Amino acid sequence: MNKLRLGINVDHVATVRNARGGEHPDPVRAALAAARAGADGITAHLREDRRHIRDDDIYRLKQECALPLNLEMAATDEMLAIALKVKPHASCIVPERRAELTTEGGLDVVKGLTTLKPYIATLSAAGIRVSLFIDPEPAQIEAAKQAGAPVVELHTGAYCHASGDAQAQELRRIIRAAEAAGALGIECHAGHGLSFANVIPVASIPSIVELNIGHFLMGEALFIGLPAAIREMRMRMDSARQGGNA
Ligand code: PXP
């Protein structure tokens, strides 16, 4: 089966840094440690309110870390200008609401099609691979295709926060959405809320080629260290890919 890439989201290293101001802990140092531990990419979300990642983090991640950088951003002119300057490997367009604690749901591409289209076209023309962070809904995938996005990232939050039958149902939604994306020739990623306990069923879906994981790994790093947490996640993902269930 094809390899599953692991993108490490370093936002919450910056959350801890910003709790006291200053420079420690440094998200770029975390990105370098993630690279050594076997990550395939680094993800960082530059929010409008700069609550965690700051502009200079993005420039430094691009300059100092050799892994492909995935810039998560809202579809705004400010973020577009930054993306065109930084030229990350990829941009993942996410919805952003000021009061939310995290990205609570996917983009409504169906409603936002005409707004999103020019952002996707401009980023793509600059050689930046665009993904749209969406809920695992067939209508959103079809709209992503119409919008010209080569990649979607499926929001796994509902699956991660559910349990029992409800979780099994959420997993089926993700499987169907991943298959629908594959059928339309759209590359499929997934992320949000993934942990050691819930990653394996998602990692077993063959048409998903990349997972982006942050909060759980940063929390686990407090107890076992970031490299060990990343290696354990990698091991579970690889084992799922090979049909095992570590
Ligand atoms: N992918 C996207 C698009 C996200 O917005 C986030 C959260 O910032 C993640 C993945 C990672 O989610 P988590 O931090 O819950 O692992």
Side-chain angles (χ1 to χ4, degrees):
M1 213 187 279
N2 56 349
K3 191 187 174 218
L4 182 58
R5 297 193 301 264
L6 172 58
I8 301 295
N9 181 315
V10 295
D11 291 353
H12 296 303
V13 180
T15 303
V16 176
R17 175 194 61 194
N18 296 358
R20 284 288 171 94
E23 305 302 326
H24 182 80
D26 179 7
V28 179
R29 183 174 167 198
L32 296 173
R36 288 192 296 273
D40 301 295
I42 298 298
T43 292
H45 185 177
L46 186 64
R47 280 182 169 267
E48 184 195 11
D49 63 9
R50 310 303 199 264
R51 69 174 72 157
H52 38 55
I53 293 293
R54 306 186 297 225
D55 298 51
D56 67 307
D57 295 326
I58 293 294
Y59 287 98
R60 289 181 54 234
L61 284 167
K62 175 74 198 302
Q63 274 162 16
E64 295 175 33
C65 183
L67 289 181
L69 174 64
N70 176 29
L71 171 64
E72 280 183 24
M73 53 178 267
T76 63
D77 290 346
E78 182 202 13
M79 289 302 151
L80 179 64
I82 292 170
L84 294 175
K85 237 168 140 185
V86 175
K87 292 244 170 74
H89 168 74
S91 281
C92 179
I93 303 183
V94 300
E96 224 175 87
R97 284 179 286 271
R98 244 165 213 268
E100 69 187 357
L101 287 178
T102 180
T103 312
E104 283 161 4
L107 270 179
D108 191 342
V109 188
V110 176
K111 260 197 194 151
L113 190 64
T114 43
T115 313
L116 287 166
K117 256 184 164 175
Y119 286 97
I120 297 167
T122 308
L123 290 164
S124 300
I128 300 167
R129 188 202 66 191
V130 182
S131 71
L132 302 181
F133 191 42
I134 57 170
D135 290 325
E137 286 295 331
Q140 296 298 339
I141 290 160
E142 277 155 32
K145 179 74 184 177
Q146 280 181 48
V151 181
V152 291
E153 179 165 330
L154 302 178
H155 195 304
T156 50
Y159 157 78
C160 293
H161 299 134
S163 57
D165 287 350
Q167 189 171 48
Q169 202 176 321
E170 287 300 335
L171 182 64
R172 283 194 293 275
R173 276 177 78 208
I174 295 171
I175 294 170
R176 280 196 294 269
E179 284 168 355
L184 288 175
I186 298 180
E187 184 173 309
C188 191
H189 302 175
H192 201 93
L194 293 170
S195 70
F196 291 159
N198 60 30
V199 73
I200 285 175
V202 176
S204 304
I205 302 170
S207 44
I208 294 181
V209 300
E210 180 176 308
L211 300 182
N212 286 300
I213 309 180
H215 185 266
F216 172 81
L217 288 174
M218 298 310 154
E220 197 61 15
L222 295 174
F223 302 106
I224 64 172
L226 185 58
I230 290 172
R231 281 195 298 268
E232 174 71 24
M233 188 61 84
R234 185 64 293 149
M235 200 266 286
R236 284 173 193 245
M237 287 164 52
D238 291 344
S239 148
R241 225 50 179 181
Q242 286 149 21
N245 48 6

